[in-house]
Amino acid sequence: IERYNKGNDAVMALKQGKIDCVVIDSEPAKKFVEKNDDLEIVEDIFDKEEYAICLSKDNADLTKEFNEALKELKDDGTLDSIRDNYIGDDVGKTPYETPKDADHSKGTLTMATNATFQPYEYYDGDKIVGIDVDIAQAVCDKLGYELKVEDMEFDAIVNSVKSGKADFGAAGMTVTEDRKKSVDFTDPYTTAEQVVIVKK
């Protein structure tokens, strides 16, 4: 097993014959295969996973607020609209926009992420965009905060939240028992699945 910090590096190693396959989440896998017609996806090997936002165990009130905001965003269709803007037939047609009357007077929340995971978080020019970024922005808009996004290695996110350097982490993060020892998670906002990319 070889570990790569970026999906793109793993895919390049696969194309160069340095490794035989890549295990990665299904949505980023689709993006890589779209761009590389010599690759294909093997599905239905792994169980479904749930993605959630991680917060400090010392901040139960904020976790509760996030859960309430996520429920409202799910119920009013905003979460589906954000996802549809990045995945499926309507890509680019339903961009999330901060409401004109949004109040951001409570200060700033810092989101720790790893912006190498299209369509959840990735760079568009020098700006970090994606499903998780839009969901975080929508939550902050509801709760009255400005959003600041910080890019870091995926393995650093939990420690960054635990130590208080970041207020929350959102990075296509699967809820696991091991991670629950260090941080709290919101209710899941989407399900995902690991797939295998191989050369055709």
Side-chain angles (χ1 to χ4, degrees):
I1 297 172
E2 296 277 345
R3 178 171 178 81
Y4 292 85
N5 285 322
K6 297 179 179 172
N8 196 48
D9 294 345
V11 168
M12 293 320 304
L14 174 64
K15 288 170 70 76
Q16 293 161 2
K18 294 177 182 172
I19 56 176
D20 300 298
C21 67
V22 175
V23 179
I24 193 168
D25 293 64
S26 59
E27 296 304 334
K30 288 174 193 166
K31 295 289 181 191
F32 286 125
V33 170
E34 275 172 23
K35 294 174 187 166
N36 296 279
D37 59 10
D38 56 334
L39 303 178
E40 67 182 5
I41 292 172
V42 184
E43 297 184 77
D44 300 324
I45 297 174
F46 300 102
D47 293 332
K48 291 230 180 294
E49 302 173 351
E50 294 182 319
Y51 286 171
I53 296 168
C54 71
L55 296 101
S56 168
K57 286 188 172 290
D58 298 333
N59 213 338
D61 288 345
L62 189 61
T63 303
K64 186 170 178 255
E65 287 182 49
F66 264 64
N67 276 331
E68 287 166 2
L70 285 168
K71 184 179 186 318
E72 286 176 30
L73 293 165
K74 184 176 184 186
D75 291 347
D76 70 15
T78 302
L79 290 186
D80 287 340
S81 174
I82 287 171
R83 184 176 157 76
D84 291 346
N85 192 53
Y86 292 94
I87 298 170
D89 299 329
D90 294 324
V91 169
K93 292 182 184 172
T94 57
Y96 176 76
E97 290 179 12
T98 295
K100 289 185 172 51
D101 62 350
D103 169 27
H104 297 127
S105 60
K106 286 189 183 174
T108 301
L109 289 181
T110 300
M111 165 181 157
T113 195
N114 176 236
T116 61
F117 198 59
Q118 191 174 355
Y120 286 92
E121 41 272 314
Y122 60 99
Y123 279 96
D124 182 7
D126 59 358
K127 188 169 190 268
I128 300 172
V129 299
I131 293 171
D132 285 338
V133 181
D134 284 358
I135 290 173
Q137 184 63 63
V139 168
C140 285
D141 289 343
K142 274 212 175 291
L143 299 182
Y145 294 98
E146 292 281 352
L147 174 66
K148 179 183 175 191
V149 182
E150 285 199 2
D151 186 21
M152 60 187 68
E153 292 295 334
F154 185 83
D155 289 345
I157 293 170
V158 167
N159 279 338
S160 184
V161 171
K162 190 177 168 185
S163 68
K165 288 182 184 157
D167 297 293
F168 67 97
M173 189 173 285
T174 305
V175 180
T176 66
E177 291 307 314
D178 193 43
R179 288 177 184 151
K180 280 183 182 175
K181 292 173 189 167
S182 301
V183 289
D184 285 338
F185 283 96
T186 61
D187 298 330
Y189 59 85
T190 193
T191 56
E193 177 175 24
Q194 300 283 316
V195 295
V196 178
I197 306 176
V198 296
K199 282 182 169 177
K200 280 187 179 165

